[in-house]
Amino acid sequence: MTAPSEPADAALEAAASGAQRRAYAPYSRFRVGAAVRAAGEIFEGANIENASYPLAICAERTAVFAAVLSGAYRLEAVAVCTDASPPSSPCGACRQVLLEFAPDPTAVTVTAINPRGERRSWTLAELIPDGFSGKELP
Ligand code: THU
């Protein structure tokens, strides 16, 4: 699962890898890049930290928010790049935010990669089963 393998979406993974180099993570030193595909386009994000630690935002959320700001609301795929081995999956808060913009979570692939070429993949439905989609709201 973590062995080098062929990317399903090489452009998306390259974008996540490039975004990782622009992370601002002087406190944790855990640099994260993310890229989401929506409306056929790629939007990038990286984690951006703050001296007031809780104000940090994750890479996945900056990428999704960039997509939404451009009017692309329907997520097709996500890639996340960290230096972790095995590659690190999105945190719970980001899973919830991804779910908000996933019309069909079973059709959204989330791929975690690292610079060693290791790769793990899930569907968003696997990462947040039975999630809170908002359909329950009045
Ligand atoms: N981080 C992400 O960017 N994405 C995740 O899914 C997990 C954590 C960031 C937040 C913080 O800047 C650093 O990694 C350490 O938690």
Side-chain angles (χ1 to χ4, degrees):
M1 196 198 232
T2 58
S5 54
E6 288 305 306
D9 190 334
L12 193 68
E13 293 188 16
S17 173
Q20 188 199 16
R21 290 190 276 277
R22 280 171 278 134
Y24 178 75
Y27 304 105
S28 72
R29 303 197 181 281
F30 187 64
R31 300 167 71 81
V32 188
V36 302
R37 191 178 278 288
E41 283 189 64
I42 290 175
F43 300 89
E44 298 176 356
N47 57 332
I48 301 173
E49 300 185 343
N50 193 278
S52 179
Y53 296 170
L55 301 184
I57 185 165
C58 293
E60 296 88 332
R61 274 177 287 157
T62 58
V64 171
F65 295 158
V68 172
L69 198 58
S70 290
Y73 293 87
R74 299 166 70 85
L75 286 183
E76 294 155 15
V78 181
V80 185
C81 182
T82 67
D83 290 330
S85 179
S88 184
S89 68
C91 77
C94 288
R95 294 177 193 200
Q96 177 67 29
V97 171
L98 293 170
L99 185 66
E100 179 77 21
F101 298 104
D104 179 3
T106 67
V108 175
T109 302
V110 180
T111 303
I113 60 171
N114 64 23
R116 294 163 55 168
E118 295 174 318
R119 175 179 292 103
R120 295 202 289 165
S121 277
W122 309 264
T123 67
L124 185 59
E126 288 172 323
L127 290 181
I128 182 163
D130 216 1
F132 180 65
S133 67
K135 290 192 199 79
E136 303 82 352
L137 295 173

